[in-house]
Amino acid sequence: PLHHGRAFTAEVRYRGNGKAPRLGLSGWKFGADGGFASAAQSSRADTFLPCNDTPSDKATWTFHISAPRGYVAAANGELLHKTPRADGSAVWHFALRERMATELIGIAVVKGTYLYGTSHRGLPLRHIVPQGQEDKYGPIVARTADHLAWLEAKFGRYPFSVYGVHIYDGYTDALENQTLSLFSTNWFKPDANGRPGYETTMVHELVHQWFGDSVTPNDWQQAWLNEGPAVYYAGLYGEERGWSVLEDKMKATYEKLDAVRAADGPPGLPKALGGTNIYDGGALVLYALSLRTGQRKFDKVMREWVKRFKDSTYTSEAFIRHTVDVTGDRSLDPFLRDWLFGAVNPPMPGHPDWKASA
């Protein structure tokens, strides 16, 4: 029998072929190099390992990944060492010492090259780029140090012991795997004006390391506070570089959000994941809050949030209480409830002329 308070270990052994036919979506993404990368969000980790696949159940992790000759392995956390084998393959050993939800697992075996660096304050950075394309992607991943400095000035120290970017042609999107964000090769093209607009996506996924990875939703109805900050701060980053105007984006979101609320649910009560309501709608909630409180108080709310709830899980109710506590303004409780749970948009502070489209 298990005794109260006493640690125990459960070991599960199983076999499977990641390319076998299956019903539904898989957590594996396969590339032209014959390798793979995992993209498990939101509930696909249980397609390749036995787990309690909910964001509220976070754990520390170790990974032992065998890779054939010519391939490298990657995983969340720090590479401890490699164990070579006689046939030229190797087992790569990784440890993630901070807790992680299953949806953020980022394991891979690819034909890639590791590129190393440090942030401006000395945080280790390690990136994986496609083999033979180091000159193309090296300058892109090197931008990460500046992205970290920009966000640390807003939120405080990065919450983990390592960070990096994995660029892979087997994936078609961008995903905030903890300590190792995964990007498609398709992202990294200049915009119509020749500007590196893809950097806003890099910032988006980096924001998630604080909002979503370190401070994690208790369940998926709270996902607006993952995606809202990522959209908001990526927009702010683009605005500071003259690539876009955040107010224009927020006005456009305001105009269409009533229809989105009716179809997909309000930002705090989505009917499904991946919609405008939790992405741009979540950012609109934060934008409204910043106008209501003023930028200084808003910045304090966000900075103290990731500090107070580091390595834990949250709910929308916790964010409401936190905001009232930090600002001392009890009127922000009904204000946020209207924005998060209401059937229609409340008036936008400072913009009485903003109207929802019919």
Side-chain angles (χ1 to χ4, degrees), residues 57-112:
D57 195 4
K58 299 169 69 169
T60 56
W61 295 80
T62 55
F63 300 96
H64 311 281
I65 305 172
S66 59
R69 183 195 300 270
Y71 288 79
V72 300
N76 316 84
E78 301 172 40
L79 174 62
L80 302 179
H81 61 277
K82 291 188 292 183
T83 305
R85 290 172 165 170
D87 62 359
S89 67
V91 180
W92 300 57
H93 307 273
F94 300 88
L96 180 64
R97 307 183 195 286
E98 304 92 357
R99 297 191 307 149
M100 177 177 71
T102 48
E103 52 112 0
L104 299 169
I105 292 174
I107 57 177
V109 176
V110 298
K111 287 186 176 178

Side-chain angles (χ1 to χ4, degrees), residues 31-314:
D33 62 355
F36 73 88
S38 65
Q41 195 183 75
S42 59
S43 55
R44 301 175 196 169
D46 61 4
T47 66
F48 61 83
L49 87 154
C51 61
N52 186 27
D53 200 10
T54 175
S56 63
D57 195 4
K58 299 169 69 169
T60 56
W61 295 80
T62 55
F63 300 96
H64 311 281
I65 305 172
S66 59
R69 183 195 300 270
Y71 288 79
V72 300
N76 316 84
E78 301 172 40
L79 174 62
L80 302 179
H81 61 277
K82 291 188 292 183
T83 305
R85 290 172 165 170
D87 62 359
S89 67
V91 180
W92 300 57
H93 307 273
F94 300 88
L96 180 64
R97 307 183 195 286
E98 304 92 357
R99 297 191 307 149
M100 177 177 71
T102 48
E103 52 112 0
L104 299 169
I105 292 174
I107 57 177
V109 176
V110 298
K111 287 186 176 178
T113 301
Y114 271 88
L115 301 178
Y116 296 94
T118 58
S119 75
H120 298 320
R121 68 165 183 83
L123 178 80
L125 302 176
R126 50 85 178 91
H127 314 284
I128 301 100
V129 302
Q131 235 173 54
Q133 299 186 57
E134 297 82 3
D135 290 344
K136 175 181 180 179
Y137 291 112
I140 291 173
V141 299
R143 294 290 302 133
T144 302
D146 285 346
H147 300 161
L148 273 163
W150 190 79
L151 289 173
E152 287 189 323
K154 291 175 168 42
F155 308 143
R157 291 174 72 93
Y158 172 76
F160 305 117
S161 58
V162 66
Y163 183 65
V165 167
H166 181 192
I167 300 174
Y168 189 51
D169 73 352
Y171 190 55
T172 57
D173 214 322
L175 184 62
E176 66 270 20
N177 289 339
Q178 190 160 314
T179 75
L180 187 63
S181 295
L182 177 64
F183 292 86
S184 166
T185 52
N186 295 330
W187 278 111
F188 301 100
K189 301 171 184 176
D191 65 16
N193 297 309
R195 300 173 302 196
Y198 52 79
E199 285 192 35
T200 60
T201 304
M202 296 174 73
V203 169
H204 179 114
E205 304 308 333
L206 184 51
V207 170
H208 275 311
Q209 301 300 313
W210 283 269
F211 293 88
D213 294 12
S214 176
V215 186
T216 305
N218 196 57
D219 60 56
W220 287 113
Q221 290 240 290
Q222 325 298 325
W224 75 274
L225 202 43
N226 286 18
E227 301 301 342
V231 172
Y232 176 86
Y233 287 103
L236 191 62
Y237 182 87
E239 180 174 76
E240 288 190 10
R241 275 140 192 82
W243 303 339
S244 58
V245 178
L246 181 60
E247 182 178 311
D248 292 347
K249 179 181 179 66
M250 293 295 94
K251 183 179 181 182
T253 300
Y254 188 91
E255 291 173 351
K256 65 186 178 183
L257 190 60
D258 274 3
V260 173
R261 287 176 187 266
D264 300 329
L269 290 173
K271 297 177 182 178
L273 287 176
T276 298
N277 52 349
I278 65 170
Y279 281 79
D280 293 359
L284 190 69
V285 173
L286 297 176
Y287 182 74
L289 180 62
S290 71
L291 295 181
R292 173 66 180 268
T293 64
Q295 197 64 46
R296 184 181 63 81
K297 285 186 177 180
F298 174 77
D299 290 344
K300 185 176 181 182
V301 166
M302 302 303 281
R303 187 182 182 97
E304 289 299 313
W305 172 256
V306 292
K307 180 180 178 181
R308 180 178 295 183
F309 289 92
K310 180 180 178 180
D311 194 34
S312 64
T313 60
Y314 70 83

